[in-house]
Every structure is written in C-alpha cells, then in structure tokens.
C-alpha cells in the first residue's frame, strides 16, 4: 500500500499500486482529509507519486 499526499492539506491518502514499474498520468482521486475532500490529479512514475509538470 502506497500513499498519495494531497497538495492542499498534506493528508496521506492510500492508493494500491500493484506494479513497481507502474506509470500513469491524469489519475484523479478525492482527498480523504476531514475538511478538504478536493479532487486531486496525480502523476505516478515507477510506482511513486511525482510532482505534475
């Protein structure tokens, strides 16, 4: 289980990444922060979250 960090509130949201070489762009998830709940777009490269360019 990996965690994605929300850029707005810093809350860690769990994400299940099965492959260590996984890469994707445009993945949208909802933050699980108590008062945040914003939809964030994340970029995953080699199984880790990277900052969008």
């Amino acid at each position: 289980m990996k965690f994605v960090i929300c850029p707005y509130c810093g809350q860690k949201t769990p994400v299940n990444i099965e492959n260590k070489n996984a890469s994707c762009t445009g993945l949208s998830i909802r933050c699980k922060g108590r008062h945040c709940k914003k939809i964030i777009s994340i970029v995953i490269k080699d199984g880790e979250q990277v900052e969008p360019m």
Side-chain angles (χ1 to χ4, degrees), residues 4 15 17 21-29 40-53:
V4 174
V15 175
I17 300 173
N21 296 327
S23 295
C24 79
T25 58
L27 180 64
S28 297
I29 62 169
I40 56 175
S41 179
I42 61 172
V43 177
I44 296 175
K45 184 173 183 180
D46 295 329
E48 297 290 329
Q49 178 184 7
V50 296
E51 293 294 322
M53 296 185 181

Side-chain angles (χ1 to χ4, degrees), residues 1 8-9 11 14 17 19 24 35 40 51-52:
M1 181 77 60
Y8 300 105
C9 68
Q11 175 71 28
I17 300 173
N19 189 345
C24 79
H35 299 291
I40 56 175
E51 293 294 322

